[in-house]
């Protein structure tokens, strides 16, 4: 994905940690079971109200991010609204996700990935040089 995504894990208004979701995976599982939430593709949340396979965040081809509740027993919410099981819910920058009855909140942060910014900057630089009539090498 061209965008990077991070989840700021908060409790009682304090940020406890940040989960980076820009490792190139197309999806990230959330749940209690380590075998279904492998490193690089998921996050284990050790809370009794979470299902073994609770929910999944999916990067769509258009860089949109969707949250899908996997018919968990205690549900998944976005901005306080319960997500219907198996119905993809668009998640955007600033949205707050909660799983089950855990008091931890997961604040979504979407940002431009650094490598994409560098590529865009190089293209802008090349365009500027062409507009300014400066010599541009074939390697650029």
């Amino acid at each position: 994905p061209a965008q990077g995504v991070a989840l700021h894990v908060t409790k009682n208004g304090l940020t406890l940690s940040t989960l980076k979701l820009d490792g190139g995976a197309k999806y990230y599982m959330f749940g209690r079971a380590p075998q279904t939430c492998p490193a690089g593709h998921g996050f284990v949340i050790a809370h009794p109200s979470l299902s073994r396979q609770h929910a999944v965040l999916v990067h769509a081809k258009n860089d949109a991010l969707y949250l899908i509740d996997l018919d968990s027993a205690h549900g998944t919410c976005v901005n306080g609204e319960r997500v219907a099981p198996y119905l993809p819910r668009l998640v955007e920058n600033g949205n707050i996700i909660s799983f089950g009855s855990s008091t931890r909140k997961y604040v979504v942060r979407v940002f431009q990935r650094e490598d994409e910014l560098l590529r865009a900057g190089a293209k802008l630089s090349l365009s500027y040089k062409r507009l300014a009539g400066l010599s541009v090498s074939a390697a650029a």
Side-chain angles (χ1 to χ4, degrees), residues 39-57:
H41 285 284
F43 299 96
V44 175
I45 303 172
H47 192 276
S49 70
L50 264 74
S51 298
R52 287 180 299 237
Q53 294 180 2
H54 196 92
V56 63
L57 269 173

Side-chain angles (χ1 to χ4, degrees), residues 83-108:
V83 175
Y86 302 116
L87 185 64
R89 165 69 155 77
L90 180 65
V91 177
E92 299 174 302
N93 190 48
N95 285 171
I96 299 171
I97 300 170
S98 58
F99 300 104
S101 61
S102 172
T103 56
R104 291 183 183 202
K105 306 295 181 202
Y106 297 76
V107 182
V108 178

Side-chain angles (χ1 to χ4, degrees), residues 9-10 12 21 45 48 51 69 106 116:
V9 184
T10 65
N12 301 325
L21 308 181
I45 303 172
S51 298
D69 179 87
Y106 297 76
E116 292 297 321

